[in-house]
Amino acid sequence: MEDFVISKRVLLVGATGYIGRHVANILVEQGYKPICPLRSKDPKFAQQIKLSPEQIPIWDLKNKSSVNSIFAQYPDLCAVISCIASRTGGIRDSWFVDFELNMNILTTAKAYNINNFVLLSAICVQKPMLNFQWAKLTFEKKLQTSGLDYTIVRPTAFFKSLAGQITRVQNGKKFILFDDGNRTRTKPISERDLAIFLVQCINNKSRTNKILSIGGPGPARTQKELGDIIFKLLNKSPKYFHMPSNVFKILATLITPLGLISTKMRDKAEFLRIAYYYATESMLFWNKRIKQYSSEETIEVGKDTIEVFYKSIIERDHQLVKDKEQKLFD
Ligand SMILES: NC(=O)c1ccc[n+]([C@@H]2O[C@H](COP(=O)([O-])OP(=O)(O)OC[C@H]3O[C@@H](n4cnc5c(N)ncnc54)[C@H](OP(=O)(O)O)[C@@H]3O)[C@@H](O)[C@H]2O)c1
């Protein structure tokens, strides 16, 4: 009987992104051979992930023949993982990157019979109101009807997205809460746990042709609870500034007419709508039947907790301050 060797080559698209880098690392850790085409040379990336030049070819993702030539170069790919996303969140860029560029990958993967496509999406596409969500959702639909085996992973908020106020609080400022700070909840997920989950989706029968809404180990936290954790870790008494979420909505409404004459203003209005969405919608599984977010139905993944993540940032900052002070006296 002919020997059948399963290829360990995986095409990773968006490898230079925040999650993409973690996925590239986990692929290497788990014995896969990631092929990470980039849009321009990035020597730091190659060094950080320890990839050979052969694993980081340059391509032009908007050019079909360029995409084609990469697939032709690696005919033994066992899967594609796509982590690309618009870096700006602007309207045109979201449709271009999250939809069109992903379509270029999908059509080429199909042409080359790469029958396993893992897509990093976002949990917020469950209740789409924003252009980037519609762009992602439209691509999800195309993937689902492509005939290829797929897994769509919709994660909750990343740890890094919930760490933006640590420095403010360290500097004695108030933690900003939207409304009373209890309106939204999320089960944050660490970048590493998400990357491990994505890699485990490769040719995984139990996850094939599924959409998985995943979060970290929980429990689901409100914005106020996340603030409380930061104050506790910093040994400070909590101080909050309550910002009405409607401010974003009102500003977006005022700016919207200007969008008719300026793309820049159209994007500005969209960014305000994005801010309003995150201030008012939970990042948890949306149960359509009861029209409620459900913490219980948000699959828990990994072990990393937001407390430990916050602690590591605070300790790293303490160390940086100590190092600076040390230098002054050296
Ligand atoms: N932040 C959160 O809390 C959160 C939560 C759930 C889901 N998500 C979703 O997770 C996904 C990944 O997020 P991330 O933070 O890892 O994204 P990111 O750091 O912004 O990375 C985006 C990746 O896409 C590539 N890319 C963007 N525009 C491109 C273009 N025109 N041509 C070629 N490549 C392009 C970038 O390449 P370059 O390096 O060359 O620019 C980069 O590799 C997004 O879909 C996001 O919506 C985020």
Side-chain angles (χ1 to χ4, degrees), residues 14-20 39 61 83-87 96-98 101 120-122 132 136 155-158 160-161:
T16 47
Y18 189 66
I19 297 302
R39 53 175 160 169
L61 198 37
C83 298
I84 56 161
S86 163
R87 278 202 179 272
F96 175 62
V97 181
D98 291 278
L101 296 187
L120 170 60
S121 185
F132 85 88
K136 282 182 192 296
T156 58
F158 303 162
K160 71 148 188 187
S161 306

Side-chain angles (χ1 to χ4, degrees), residues 26-93:
I26 300 295
L27 283 168
V28 172
E29 257 179 51
Q30 300 202 356
Y32 286 97
K33 196 154 190 212
I35 305 299
C36 307
L38 309 183
R39 53 175 160 169
S40 54
K41 281 202 168 143
D42 188 341
K44 239 187 183 170
F45 172 78
Q47 228 174 12
Q48 277 170 354
I49 318 288
K50 295 190 181 65
L51 298 175
S52 66
E54 181 239 11
Q55 288 174 277
I56 38 172
I58 302 298
W59 70 358
D60 178 2
L61 198 37
K62 60 185 182 301
N63 179 328
K64 285 186 182 153
S65 65
S66 170
V67 178
N68 213 60
S69 75
I70 296 293
F71 276 82
Q73 223 173 305
Y74 305 98
D76 62 340
L77 293 169
C78 71
V80 173
I81 301 182
S82 175
C83 298
I84 56 161
S86 163
R87 278 202 179 272
T88 65
I91 298 174
R92 207 182 280 176
D93 198 55

